[in-house]
Amino acid sequence: MGVSTASMHLRAPVAVQLSTLQSSAGEFQASIRFPVAVSGGLSRRCRAVEVAAVLMEREGRVASEGGRSGGVTKVEFRKPTGGSWAASFCDSVERAVVWAFDAGLSDERAYLLSGNYAPVDEMAPVADLPVVGSIPDCMNGEFVRVGPNPRFKPVSGYHWFDGDGMIHAVNITNGKATYVARFVRTARLQQEEYYGAAKFMKIGQLKGLRGLFYLAVEKLRLSLGVLDDSNGLFTGNTNLVYHNKRLLLLHETDKPYAMKVLEDGDLQTLGLENYEQRLQHPFTAHPKIDSTTGEMFIFAYQEKAPHLIYRVVSKDGVIGEPVPITIPQCVMMHDFAITENYALFMDLPLLLNPTGMPKDEFIFKFDPSKECRFGILPRYATNESQIRWFTIPTCFIFHNANAWEEGDEVVLTTCRMPGIELDLEPEYKKEKAWSVNSKLYEFRMNLKTGEAKQRQLSDLSTDFPRVNEEYTGRKTKYVYCGVFDEMNRVIGVAKYDLEKEPSPSSRELEIGGNIVGVFKHGPGRSGSEAVFVPTKPGMDGPEDDGYLIQFVYDENTGKSEVVIINAKTMSPEPTASVSLPRRVPYGFHALFVSQEQLKLQQA
């Protein structure tokens, strides 16, 4: 898919600790000056604390804004309160910052904005698509995948995390398929559409001293009424979940956006889900749903202490009280896990790095000197007093496959990497993708002895682990992973049998050891996250009785298709494939919403 684990749907909170910023400000004399003169020599001075504190203010405003009508806030465009002079003034300041620091970073040939990373326009439903093979009856519904798709050309410093959320969907009804693509209609997107240009700050700009200038530009726009951050700030571009009769689009530094799938497969943004105004913090991009109880488990990481919040949402959509969890500092925590009795959190050393910006460092930094640990908490705990912490070797993890309990142990199957670099500026203009270095691992935490062990399960570069989600929190035998080549393309899917021993040092996508099935996309073809769709709901039948569905891009033709694979047999020939009317850019996570779920959608 051309997607790196280094940039897989991770959105760290755009927020910085004030005390840290104050310390940082002292280190570099606390004062910066815009490189532009306006109205006869007027220059705007900003203390570093004031400049970078806009990050904190952004998060705080998201938290303080509740819903206006029930559980969903309708996101309606608000005309800017600032006049055209204010917008022009801010644009002039921004152009000066770009000229001073980033003149080369707006190059249209940027790697992350070219090829199949390049954005596409929305597309209304296109029906009766060509189908080869036969689409299984269990796949009546809507296959949806979200990813970054910038509506407007970035001013500078684009990071793959920055793109506006676009949903690519294929509606399947009785063997016939319809394709549609729609933006998530965020407040951010609507404001930029009003101006016809990118206006909000980007993660890719938050490096070095210039990052503080870009923060100042955004603060200026907000203070003059050019931009409004009171009704959501981010892009909804990371993941999707269906819970309590509602499809939610997720970005881990914002509230979820509720979407509706229309009868023809088209998509409509309803607004921000705020759980009857009780959601006062961001919402993870990777919630977990227990198929037995119907509950959804969520967490949020944030800049302010105690930095981590855990909550349970009932099957009827009632959100429980927040459980604050203390960790030493804010870390990027993209995923977590649940078992039948516990929730597992990952305190890993990818840190907010505001003090490094004046040293020309990126806002997020991997610090191998920091202790790595997993925290295990009873999943219905009302406070953090019962959490158990387990120290593990230095690593970083974006995505977990599943977790469960075996005797005194909690077992986690996950994709582990030795470290991570999120600064993509070197990749912004290069012609070769960065490398994926995550491998499938097993961790075992003994609740009786306090010991933690890890074991490598594969030598292939893998990520996007998926299981039959009917078994979330319960022991699974099979895991399906995307396999990456040296150019960061998903060249196929590996089916792992966790009850078998791994092959010794096998780097080839071939059957052997614990790899009991493979599907190869073929030369010049790149896959994406493959979602497991069970033949029947529940856990009565074989765990692997179902199908995998994913988008596949063919660089030979410049087009994309949806490919459906038999997850049980992993036959080398697809069960069915659907030709799409155009290419689907590389993206993040996907979900299959069944026909029964679509019928139950809330208005």
Coordinates of all heavy atoms in Angstrom, one line a residue, residues 422-464:
L422 N 9.4 9.7 13.3 CA 8.2 10.3 12.7 C 8.5 11.6 11.9 O 7.6 12.1 11.2 CB 7.1 10.7 13.8 CG 6.3 9.5 14.3 CD1 5.2 10.0 15.2 CD2 5.7 8.7 13.2
D423 N 9.7 12.1 12.0 CA 10.0 13.2 11.2 C 10.2 12.8 9.7 O 11.1 12.1 9.3 CB 11.4 13.8 11.7 CG 11.8 15.0 10.8 OD1 11.0 15.5 10.0 OD2 12.9 15.5 11.1
L424 N 9.2 13.2 8.9 CA 9.2 12.7 7.5 C 9.7 13.8 6.5 O 9.6 13.6 5.3 CB 7.7 12.3 7.1 CG 7.1 11.2 7.8 CD1 5.8 10.8 7.2 CD2 8.0 10.0 7.9
E425 N 10.3 14.8 7.1 CA 10.9 15.8 6.2 C 11.9 15.3 5.2 O 11.8 15.6 4.0 CB 11.5 17.0 7.0 CG 12.0 18.1 6.1 CD 12.6 19.2 6.8 OE1 11.9 19.9 7.6 OE2 13.8 19.5 6.7
P426 N 12.8 14.3 5.6 CA 13.7 13.7 4.6 C 13.0 13.0 3.5 O 13.4 12.9 2.4 CB 14.6 12.8 5.5 CG 14.5 13.4 6.9 CD 13.1 13.9 7.0
E427 N 11.8 12.4 3.9 CA 11.0 11.7 2.9 C 10.1 12.6 2.0 O 9.6 12.1 1.0 CB 10.1 10.7 3.6 CG 10.8 9.4 4.0 CD 11.7 9.6 5.2 OE1 11.5 10.5 6.0 OE2 12.8 8.9 5.2
Y428 N 10.0 13.8 2.5 CA 9.0 14.7 1.8 C 9.3 14.8 0.3 O 8.5 14.9 -0.5 CB 9.1 16.1 2.4 CG 8.0 17.1 1.9 CD1 6.7 17.0 2.4 CD2 8.3 18.0 0.9 CE1 5.8 17.9 2.0 CE2 7.4 18.8 0.5 CZ 6.1 18.8 1.0 OH 5.1 19.7 0.5
K429 N 10.6 14.8 0.0 CA 11.0 15.0 -1.4 C 11.8 13.9 -2.0 O 12.2 13.9 -3.2 CB 11.8 16.3 -1.6 CG 11.0 17.6 -1.2 CD 11.9 18.8 -1.4 CE 12.2 19.1 -2.8 NZ 13.0 20.3 -3.0
K430 N 12.0 12.8 -1.3 CA 12.8 11.7 -1.8 C 12.0 10.8 -2.7 O 10.8 10.9 -2.7 CB 13.4 10.9 -0.6 CG 12.4 10.1 0.2 CD 13.0 9.5 1.4 CE 14.0 8.5 1.1 NZ 14.5 7.8 2.3
E431 N 12.6 10.0 -3.4 CA 11.9 9.2 -4.4 C 11.8 7.7 -3.9 O 11.1 6.9 -4.6 CB 12.7 9.2 -5.7 CG 12.8 10.6 -6.4 CD 13.6 10.6 -7.7 OE1 14.1 9.5 -8.0 OE2 13.6 11.6 -8.3
K432 N 12.3 7.4 -2.8 CA 12.2 6.1 -2.3 C 11.5 6.1 -0.9 O 11.8 6.9 -0.1 CB 13.5 5.4 -2.1 CG 13.5 4.0 -1.7 CD 14.9 3.4 -1.6 CE 14.9 2.0 -1.2 NZ 14.5 1.7 0.2
A433 N 10.6 5.2 -0.7 CA 9.8 5.2 0.6 C 10.7 4.8 1.7 O 11.8 4.2 1.6 CB 8.6 4.2 0.5
W434 N 10.3 5.2 2.9 CA 11.0 4.7 4.1 C 10.7 3.3 4.4 O 9.7 2.7 3.9 CB 10.6 5.7 5.3 CG 9.1 5.7 5.6 CD1 8.4 5.0 6.4 CD2 8.2 6.6 4.9 NE1 7.1 5.3 6.3 CE2 6.9 6.3 5.4 CE3 8.3 7.5 3.8 CZ2 5.8 6.9 4.9 CZ3 7.2 8.1 3.4 CH2 5.9 7.8 3.9
S435 N 11.4 2.7 5.3 CA 11.3 1.2 5.5 C 10.3 0.9 6.7 O 10.2 1.6 7.7 CB 12.6 0.6 5.9 OG 13.5 0.8 4.8
V436 N 9.6 -0.2 6.5 CA 8.7 -0.7 7.6 C 9.6 -1.8 8.3 O 10.1 -2.7 7.7 CB 7.5 -1.4 7.0 CG1 6.7 -2.1 8.1 CG2 6.6 -0.3 6.3
N437 N 9.7 -1.6 9.6 CA 10.6 -2.6 10.3 C 9.9 -3.2 11.5 O 10.5 -3.6 12.5 CB 11.8 -1.8 10.8 CG 11.5 -0.7 11.8 OD1 10.4 -0.3 11.9 ND2 12.5 -0.2 12.4
S438 N 8.5 -3.3 11.4 CA 7.8 -4.0 12.5 C 7.7 -5.5 12.2 O 7.5 -5.9 11.1 CB 6.4 -3.4 12.7 OG 5.7 -3.4 11.5
K439 N 7.8 -6.3 13.3 CA 7.7 -7.7 13.2 C 6.6 -8.2 14.1 O 6.3 -7.6 15.2 CB 9.0 -8.4 13.5 CG 10.2 -7.8 12.8 CD 10.3 -8.3 11.3 CE 11.4 -7.6 10.6 NZ 12.8 -8.1 11.1
L440 N 6.0 -9.4 13.8 CA 5.0 -10.0 14.7 C 5.6 -10.6 15.9 O 6.6 -11.3 15.8 CB 4.2 -11.0 13.9 CG 2.9 -11.5 14.6 CD1 1.9 -10.4 14.7 CD2 2.3 -12.7 13.9
Y441 N 5.1 -10.1 17.1 CA 5.7 -10.6 18.4 C 4.6 -11.1 19.3 O 3.4 -10.7 19.2 CB 6.4 -9.4 19.1 CG 7.9 -9.3 18.8 CD1 8.3 -8.9 17.6 CD2 8.8 -9.7 19.8 CE1 9.7 -8.8 17.3 CE2 10.2 -9.6 19.5 CZ 10.6 -9.1 18.3 OH 12.0 -9.0 18.0
E442 N 5.0 -11.9 20.3 CA 4.1 -12.2 21.4 C 4.7 -11.7 22.7 O 5.9 -11.9 23.0 CB 3.9 -13.8 21.5 CG 3.1 -14.3 22.6 CD 3.2 -15.8 22.8 OE1 4.2 -16.2 23.5 OE2 2.3 -16.5 22.3
F443 N 3.9 -11.1 23.5 CA 4.3 -10.7 24.9 C 3.4 -11.5 25.9 O 2.2 -11.7 25.7 CB 4.1 -9.2 25.1 CG 5.1 -8.4 24.4 CD1 4.8 -7.9 23.1 CD2 6.2 -8.0 25.0 CE1 5.7 -7.1 22.4 CE2 7.2 -7.1 24.4 CZ 6.9 -6.7 23.1
R444 N 4.0 -11.9 27.0 CA 3.3 -12.6 28.1 C 3.6 -11.9 29.4 O 4.8 -11.8 29.8 CB 3.7 -14.1 28.1 CG 3.1 -14.9 27.0 CD 3.4 -16.4 27.1 NE 2.7 -17.1 26.0 CZ 1.6 -17.7 26.2 NH1 1.0 -17.7 27.4 NH2 1.0 -18.4 25.2
M445 N 2.6 -11.4 30.0 CA 2.8 -10.7 31.3 C 2.1 -11.6 32.4 O 0.9 -11.9 32.4 CB 2.1 -9.3 31.3 CG 2.9 -8.3 30.6 SD 3.1 -8.5 28.8 CE 1.4 -8.4 28.2
N446 N 3.0 -12.0 33.4 CA 2.5 -12.9 34.4 C 2.0 -12.1 35.6 O 2.8 -11.4 36.3 CB 3.6 -13.8 34.9 CG 3.1 -15.0 35.8 OD1 2.5 -14.7 36.8 ND2 3.3 -16.2 35.3
L447 N 0.7 -12.1 35.9 CA 0.1 -11.3 36.9 C 0.5 -11.8 38.3 O 0.4 -11.1 39.3 CB -1.4 -11.3 36.8 CG -1.9 -10.7 35.5 CD1 -3.5 -10.9 35.4 CD2 -1.6 -9.2 35.4
K448 N 1.0 -13.0 38.4 CA 1.4 -13.6 39.7 C 2.8 -13.2 40.1 O 3.1 -12.8 41.2 CB 1.2 -15.1 39.7 CG 1.4 -15.7 41.1 CD 1.0 -17.2 41.0 CE 1.2 -17.9 42.3 NZ 0.9 -19.3 42.3
T449 N 3.7 -13.4 39.1 CA 5.1 -13.1 39.4 C 5.6 -11.7 39.0 O 6.7 -11.3 39.4 CB 6.0 -14.1 38.6 OG1 5.8 -13.9 37.2 CG2 5.5 -15.6 38.9
G450 N 4.8 -11.0 38.1 CA 5.2 -9.7 37.7 C 6.2 -9.7 36.5 O 6.8 -8.7 36.1
E451 N 6.5 -10.9 36.0 CA 7.5 -11.1 34.9 C 6.8 -10.8 33.6 O 5.7 -11.2 33.3 CB 8.1 -12.5 35.0 CG 9.2 -12.7 33.9 CD 9.7 -14.1 34.0 OE1 9.1 -15.0 34.6 OE2 10.8 -14.4 33.4
A452 N 7.6 -10.2 32.6 CA 7.1 -10.0 31.2 C 8.1 -10.7 30.3 O 9.3 -10.5 30.5 CB 7.0 -8.5 30.9
K453 N 7.6 -11.4 29.3 CA 8.5 -12.0 28.3 C 8.0 -11.7 26.9 O 6.8 -11.4 26.7 CB 8.4 -13.6 28.5 CG 8.9 -14.1 29.8 CD 8.8 -15.6 29.8 CE 9.3 -16.2 31.1 NZ 9.2 -17.7 31.2
Q454 N 8.9 -11.6 26.0 CA 8.6 -11.4 24.6 C 9.2 -12.5 23.7 O 10.2 -13.1 24.0 CB 9.1 -10.0 24.1 CG 10.6 -9.9 24.0 CD 11.0 -8.5 23.4 OE1 10.3 -7.6 23.4 NE2 12.2 -8.5 22.8
R455 N 8.5 -12.7 22.6 CA 9.0 -13.8 21.6 C 8.6 -13.3 20.2 O 7.5 -13.0 19.9 CB 8.3 -15.1 22.0 CG 8.7 -16.3 21.1 CD 8.2 -17.6 21.6 NE 6.8 -17.7 21.4 CZ 6.2 -18.6 20.6 NH1 6.9 -19.4 19.8 NH2 4.9 -18.7 20.5
Q456 N 9.6 -13.4 19.3 CA 9.4 -13.0 18.0 C 8.7 -14.1 17.2 O 9.1 -15.3 17.3 CB 10.7 -12.6 17.3 CG 10.5 -12.1 15.9 CD 11.8 -11.6 15.3 OE1 12.7 -11.1 16.0 NE2 11.9 -11.6 13.9
L457 N 7.6 -13.8 16.5 CA 6.9 -14.8 15.8 C 7.1 -14.9 14.3 O 6.7 -15.8 13.6 CB 5.4 -14.6 16.0 CG 4.9 -14.6 17.5 CD1 3.4 -14.4 17.6 CD2 5.2 -16.0 18.1
S458 N 7.8 -13.9 13.8 CA 8.0 -13.8 12.3 C 9.1 -12.9 12.0 O 9.4 -11.9 12.7 CB 6.7 -13.4 11.6 OG 7.0 -13.2 10.2
D459 N 9.9 -13.2 10.9 CA 10.9 -12.3 10.5 C 10.5 -11.4 9.3 O 11.3 -10.6 8.8 CB 12.2 -13.1 10.1 CG 13.5 -12.4 10.4 OD1 13.5 -11.6 11.3 OD2 14.4 -12.6 9.6
L460 N 9.3 -11.5 8.9 CA 8.7 -10.7 7.8 C 8.4 -9.3 8.4 O 8.1 -9.1 9.5 CB 7.5 -11.3 7.2 CG 7.6 -12.6 6.5 CD1 6.2 -13.1 6.1 CD2 8.5 -12.5 5.3
S461 N 8.5 -8.3 7.5 CA 8.1 -7.0 7.8 C 6.6 -6.9 7.7 O 6.1 -7.0 6.6 CB 8.8 -5.9 6.9 OG 10.1 -5.9 7.1
T462 N 5.9 -6.8 8.8 CA 4.5 -6.9 8.8 C 3.8 -5.8 9.7 O 4.4 -5.3 10.6 CB 4.0 -8.3 9.4 OG1 4.5 -8.4 10.7 CG2 4.5 -9.4 8.5
D463 N 2.6 -5.5 9.3 CA 1.8 -4.6 10.1 C 0.3 -4.8 9.6 O 0.0 -5.7 8.9 CB 2.2 -3.2 10.1 CG 2.0 -2.5 11.4 OD1 0.8 -2.1 11.6 OD2 2.9 -2.3 12.2
F464 N -0.5 -3.9 10.1 CA -2.0 -4.0 9.8 C -2.5 -5.4 10.3 O -3.2 -6.1 9.5 CB -2.3 -3.8 8.4 CG -2.2 -2.3 7.9 CD1 -1.7 -2.0 6.7 CD2 -2.7 -1.3 8.7 CE1 -1.6 -0.7 6.2 CE2 -2.6 0.0 8.3 CZ -2.1 0.3 7.1

